[in-house]
Amino acid sequence: MTETGTLTTPVRSPSAPPLLSGLGLFTVLLGAALPLIDFFIVNVALPTIGRDLNAGEAVLELVVAGYGVSYAVLLVLGGRLGDLFGRRQLFLGGMAAFGLTSLACGLAPSAWTLVAARVAQGAASAAMLPQVLATIQSATAGGRRAKAMGLYGATAGLSMVAGQILGGLLVAADIAGTGWRAVFLVNVPVVVLGLVLAARAVPETRSQHPEPIDTPGTVLLALSLLTLLAPLTEGRAAGWPLWTWLSLALFPLVAAAFYFVERREDRAGRTPLVPPSLFALTSLRRGLIMIVPFSIGFSGFMFVIAVALQRGAGLGPVAAGMALAPMAVVFFFTSLCGPRLIARFGTRVVTAGGLIQVVGVALITLTAWRSWPDLGVWELLPGAAVAGAGQALQLPVLIRIVLSEVPAARAGVGSGVMATTQQSALAVGVATLGTLFLSLVPGHGMRDALVTTLLVQLAGVVLTTALSLRLPRTVG
């Protein structure tokens, strides 16, 4: 590969796999950032959306949940389609659809139109995101792959924090009178740039032996996630009607049916949507088990702190977003040190990151208890900075661990499984910790509700730290 970023190299044989250039890596990471930013960017914009579109709390929760559920349900299918039809093709199509649906969100004339556009935006994200990790897995090797995976993990973590900060800035800027609509319209020029770069710099990769779509598995996985995520995300705002309890009761039955169908397909020598044999990989299995509580705590914290700072502490969208700026800055710089630390200390870096995050969340909890309602960037700075450092030593490494043993032929499937697990956990985090917080507010007040929720998150961080002791000692 030349220094100018072209896709050819004089030392590569014609039969060798395509290489991902520096420009290509930047482009796919841009594609990875967009869906994660848009999951969090609306948190600080929801009050403004509610006032402008005259939307109640249940509908506003659908603006968040519609995107998250659609995204989670279709991620594994998106990975399989990339294996089948080509990852570059699906990446381009998904990115184009993401731009169009972002435009529809930004121009939505009513709350329900916005909900529908958000569901479509989630589907577009599900087509685009799995191709990122699958392309990295298929078009890099050795040290280049380790560096690319580290950058992906850093991008994912930074995007989740930066989304909330960017949302606050855009709402307050009120660019050309667009108000909250700018949080969606800003995606359009970014997508145009991404499409131009992708057409030039992202190589085409696909599975050498693609399998047909597993229709029964796809339907059962979608039903499993819907029966879990839909009642959790909408139950509190809707008053927990009968359908939410029936849906939760149905979830284990549908999930069991999905598992047995997939196991039958796997034993028959076919490739199901989610091959149970994939979970025989120790690194993938243990990494995913740790990603679940980490992501639940991360997304729940981001949602709760946004609500508490705006509704309770009386901060505007900019101040509420900027309160997390120290977390984003420290996360970014710490994640750059991750590869060197992993090479020297192995996965014990994750354990150290968990311990550091425990200190950071404890500091935030103590600050909320002692300083409420005077919370802002300076009061939260120590805890947010320490927590950001701890998170940066966990998430990028976990993503590398999960995919370290997945063969290139199953890169799309492995990427889809990991992304689905993470996205489902993010949605569950908003639903569970958000529901706990909002349920406590009427009876205990905003401060005590926030402190209690932070203590629950702290327990989750302790759990992830304990789970990290079971990770493989080295990263492949």
Side-chain angles (χ1 to χ4, degrees), residues 101 154 178 191 214 340 430 470:
T101 53
T178 53
V191 164
D214 173 16
R340 291 193 297 274
V430 172
R470 291 180 50 80

Side-chain angles (χ1 to χ4, degrees), residues 5-7 18-32 34 86-97 127-128 131-132 135 189-205:
T6 58
L7 299 177
L19 292 178
L20 186 65
S21 68
L23 182 61
L25 178 61
F26 170 81
T27 305
V28 294
L29 291 180
L30 179 66
L34 286 172
R87 292 152 190 153
R88 177 178 179 270
Q89 184 172 330
L90 260 291
F91 181 78
L92 286 166
M95 182 172 276
M128 177 171 58
Q131 319 317 326
V132 176
T135 298
V190 177
V191 164
V192 172
L193 173 64
L195 289 172
V196 172
L197 294 178
R200 175 187 175 191
V202 176
E204 181 64 280
T205 63

Side-chain angles (χ1 to χ4, degrees), residues 460-473:
V461 178
V462 172
L463 173 62
T464 60
T465 305
L467 290 171
S468 70
L469 297 174
R470 291 180 50 80
L471 294 173
R473 292 301 297 266

